[in-house]
Amino acid sequence: MSTGKKIKQFRKDKGMSQKQLSQETGIAEITIRQYEAEKYQPKIDKLRIIAAALGVYIGELDPDWSQIPFDDIEDDLKRDLSLDEQVILQDYRTLNDNGKDEARKRINELTEIPKYQKKEE
């Protein structure tokens, strides 16, 4: 399945509209539509943002993920991640598919509990 179709599938699985994904990612709605229609392939920085918004591993979106040199991926990810986030990502990558699903569920559950939510400034 292509990247665009995977984005669409995960977006629909999350019950999100293209507009909501656009708002969540800061990527123009027309661009989201074009990715899903396979008119354009998202670059790694956009793919990372979309994956984060959909709560999936970036490799789940891009069938050619293995073609991207690991050093490029690692450098790209480290640019915007704190040390804690990098450690969490490394731990996440050691999990099998069932473990990854469970980790995403648990993180999602934590985001719903007020005492764990960030206070808006």
Side-chain angles (χ1 to χ4, degrees):
M1 185 181 298
S2 70
T3 300
K5 287 182 182 181
K6 287 183 179 189
I7 291 170
K8 184 175 184 176
Q9 175 189 334
F10 283 115
R11 176 182 59 76
K12 287 188 168 197
D13 288 349
K14 294 281 182 188
M16 295 176 81
S17 67
Q18 290 175 330
K19 182 176 183 173
Q20 288 169 318
L21 183 57
S22 170
Q23 291 169 337
E24 186 78 21
T25 61
I27 298 170
E29 186 177 351
I30 185 74
T31 304
I32 299 290
R33 275 193 237 120
Q34 291 171 333
Y35 292 157
E36 290 185 2
E38 301 175 340
K39 290 184 180 179
Y40 298 102
Q41 174 72 18
K43 293 186 179 180
I44 190 170
D45 60 329
K46 300 295 185 199
L47 198 60
R48 179 174 37 85
I49 293 167
I50 292 168
L54 295 174
V56 299
Y57 174 59
I58 193 170
E60 293 178 89
L61 294 179
D62 191 340
D64 295 326
W65 182 248
S66 61
Q67 303 302 314
I68 302 170
F70 181 75
D71 289 343
D72 291 350
I73 296 165
E74 189 172 45
D75 290 345
D76 185 64
L77 291 172
K78 285 183 179 177
R79 266 182 263 190
D80 295 319
L81 296 177
S82 69
L83 181 57
D84 284 343
E85 290 167 326
Q86 290 177 42
V87 170
I88 290 168
L89 181 59
Q90 287 172 344
D91 289 343
Y92 179 83
R93 287 179 174 166
T94 67
L95 300 172
N96 64 23
D97 289 341
N98 291 334
K100 289 176 182 179
D101 288 342
E102 191 63 29
R104 285 191 300 269
K105 287 177 194 172
R106 291 181 185 207
I107 289 172
N108 189 36
E109 289 169 0
L110 288 172
T111 65
E112 301 296 322
I113 301 171
K115 76 177 188 177
Y116 296 124
Q117 294 173 355
K118 261 187 184 177
K119 303 280 189 247
E120 293 195 30
E121 296 176 30

